[in-house]
Amino acid sequence: MGNILIGIITIDYQYEYSGILYLSACSLIIFFINAPLLNILRNRHTIFNVNKKIDNRVQHRSTIFIILIFVLAMMSPLYSVIQNGFSISSLFNFQELLSYNAEVAKARYTGQIETKGFISTLFLIFMYAAPMIGGTHLGLFKKRKSIALITLIPPIVTVLVSNTKAGMLAAVITFIAGWIIGQTIRNGHPKFRVRSMLKICVAFIILGLFLFFAMLLRVGNFSSSTISSIWQKFIVYAFGDVPAFDSWFSSYYSQTLGMGKNLFVGVYSFLGLTDRVQGLYTDFVYLPSGFGTNVYSAYRAMIMDFSTIGGFIFLLFFSTFATLAFCRISEKRGLVMNGFILMNFYFFVMYSKFTSIWTYTSYIFALFLYALYLLLIKYQKNNLKGTLNDY
């Protein structure tokens, strides 16, 4: 809802409002169904706190896992630099970094370089899984919290060397999602203090400025006219999904349903059942600012797969499963399965303004790697009271 409101305010466009009303209605109906359900489920069970009952060995395993996955995640941007014929030393020279960033971004969008491959995809999986794990560690444990922050370094370096902003956004989103899950495991619910909310707001402001700077790096020009032009493009990048989806929805008519091949295109592509094109959609919506966008949010894919009514039913069932998973985790039960469901849900909801999280195989495998981490901190050979072995 907030994204829609900001999009309407910041982007000048002749809205039809049909798509906006559809998303708003779905959000409100699902909220008023699941909020009472959550209260009923939580009132039927005792939610207890385990702040002093988490075995130190669990925290030690989590810390070791973070260090290991951080090392593997850092290989992603470093391998990209080497693969494209540059030296690691170019990262420490600002002028060379500008030249490299602009060249790689241009080559990537024009298809002049190969951005896929088994090794690069494998390192991407570690890079995307790292913030999920780091956020959970930060929310779950009281000590060694700073170790969790290193999981954000690989996507930051990746933005600087290859200008892939989507990965940085995914990293911040999954880090926050992991923190919420960690807090829910520890306290029965996430604790949002005023100080924590201020930190999150400041973090998003810094993230916005960093991504704006990354867009300037891609151009390699810091003149006032360039900054003004990039700022308009940045606004379209951040909120262009609102007019784009509204425009598409207003002219949408029911066709043959995809039955998952649009929303879960990463799965279909991995199985060889369909091909995923760059940008997903070839049709653009052009705005009065002169910029165009083909980012229609995940909800276009959802409707193309299941229809408007079917899309609503999908969201309802997905959110209901997430509500049940939240209650189970707050009761310290079913850590692996319910944590996996919650990470998918939080990631989908916060990333859906761009596209479906199941579009990219690297995201999908990163989610399963996160489930492996949950299994690791759950397992305990000896059935010691107070550990996470029952969860």
Side-chain angles (χ1 to χ4, degrees):
M1 295 290 286
N3 174 66
I4 293 175
L5 181 61
I6 296 174
I8 293 174
I9 294 173
T10 57
I11 297 183
D12 180 27
Y13 187 72
Q14 191 66 37
Y15 292 95
E16 297 290 341
Y17 290 103
S18 56
I20 291 173
L21 289 174
Y22 172 79
L23 293 180
S24 301
C26 287
S27 301
L28 290 173
I29 293 172
I30 290 172
F31 173 79
F32 284 113
I33 290 176
N34 281 287
L37 175 63
L38 178 62
N39 287 330
I40 292 172
L41 292 174
R42 287 174 66 84
N43 288 334
R44 289 179 59 183
H45 300 279
T46 301
I47 310 301
F48 57 91
N49 192 296
V50 292
N51 276 347
K52 300 181 180 179
K53 297 182 179 181
I54 297 178
D55 195 294
N56 288 333
R57 285 173 291 182
V58 176
Q59 181 172 337
H60 179 70
R61 287 200 300 270
S62 178
T63 302
I64 295 298
F65 196 86
I66 285 178
I67 295 173
L68 175 63
I69 202 169
F70 165 73
V71 173
L72 293 171
M74 276 302 299
M75 296 302 295
S76 179
L78 298 180
Y79 179 76
S80 175
V81 172
I82 297 172
Q83 186 185 36
N84 294 318
F86 291 85
S87 65
I88 302 298
S89 60
S90 62
L91 302 179
F92 302 97
N93 185 296
F94 185 70
Q95 291 299 324
E96 289 186 21
L97 180 63
L98 281 177
S99 176
Y100 170 75
N101 191 287
E103 184 175 337
V104 170
K106 180 181 178 181
R108 180 164 52 87
Y109 279 97
T110 57
Q112 297 175 14
I113 61 173
E114 182 63 42
T115 57
K116 296 182 181 180
F118 175 77
I119 297 178
S120 59
T121 300
L122 182 63
F123 289 146
L124 278 175
I125 292 171
F126 292 120
M127 189 181 74
Y128 293 141
M132 303 180 190
I133 295 166
T136 304
H137 182 95
L138 182 66
L140 182 57
F141 303 110
K142 281 190 172 183
K143 298 179 180 179
R144 300 178 185 172
K145 288 188 173 184
S146 58
I147 195 72
L149 298 178
I150 69 172
T151 58
L152 292 173
I153 295 177
I156 291 175
V157 177
T158 299
V159 172
L160 293 175
V161 301
S162 62
N163 217 280
T164 51
K165 298 177 288 296
M168 184 69 221
L169 288 167
V172 173
I173 287 171
T174 53
F175 189 88
I176 294 173
W179 177 81
I180 294 174
I181 293 172
Q183 282 279 292
T184 306
I185 296 170
R186 169 172 288 282
N187 304 309
H189 59 86
K191 290 186 176 181
F192 290 102
R193 299 185 179 90
V194 175
R195 185 178 178 182
S196 298
M197 294 303 296
L198 288 175
K199 286 182 178 179
I200 292 175
C201 290
V202 171
F204 271 104
I205 292 174
I206 294 174
L207 174 64
L209 293 174
F210 178 70
L211 294 179
F212 177 67
F213 175 72
M215 295 177 75
L216 286 173
L217 275 181
R218 180 183 170 188
V219 177
N221 188 330
F222 293 87
S223 65
S224 58
S225 60
T226 300
I227 292 176
S228 176
S229 176
I230 293 299
W231 175 251
Q232 294 182 45
K233 188 175 182 179
F234 176 78
I235 294 298
V236 173
Y237 179 84
F239 304 108
D241 60 295
V242 178
F245 177 80
D246 186 66
S247 174
W248 172 82
F249 188 87
S250 64
S251 59
Y252 166 76
Y253 61 93
S254 181
Q255 304 174 6
T256 303
L257 298 179
M259 302 306 296
K261 74 175 183 180
N262 296 292
L263 194 63
F264 301 95
V265 66
V267 178
Y268 278 72
S269 177
F270 179 75
L271 296 176
L273 301 176
T274 187
D275 294 324
R276 185 174 65 85
V277 298
Q278 179 76 21
L280 296 181
Y281 304 110
T282 56
D283 52 320
F284 280 73
V285 171
Y286 289 93
L287 307 174
S289 62
F291 293 104
T293 179
N294 64 340
V295 178
Y296 294 89
S297 79
Y299 302 110
R300 170 174 171 170
M302 179 189 71
I303 293 172
M304 290 173 66
D305 280 340
F306 308 120
S307 77
T308 52
I309 300 298
F312 166 73
I313 294 174
F314 169 81
L315 289 176
L316 179 60
F317 273 91
F318 191 19
S319 60
T320 301
F321 275 116
T323 300
L324 295 173
F326 179 87
C327 290
R328 292 279 292 175
I329 273 195
S330 64
E331 295 167 10
K332 315 300 179 291
R333 300 172 187 237
L335 174 65
V336 178
M337 178 59 69
N338 294 301
F340 179 73
I341 292 173
L342 280 179
M343 180 56 74
N344 273 270
F345 179 74
Y346 293 145
F347 192 7
F348 174 81
V349 170
M350 289 188 277
Y351 198 73
S352 60
K353 72 184 294 355
F354 301 105
T355 186
S356 166
I357 62 171
W358 306 295
T359 295
Y360 305 102
T361 53
S362 52
Y363 286 176
I364 296 171
F365 282 107
L367 287 163
F368 282 103
L369 185 55
Y370 176 70
L372 178 63
Y373 164 77
L374 294 177
L375 183 64
L376 179 72
I377 64 172
K378 167 186 179 293
Y379 176 74
Q380 185 67 283
K381 184 175 181 181
N382 298 318
N383 188 18
L384 300 174
K385 183 179 179 181
T387 65
L388 293 175
N389 62 303
D390 294 327
Y391 307 154

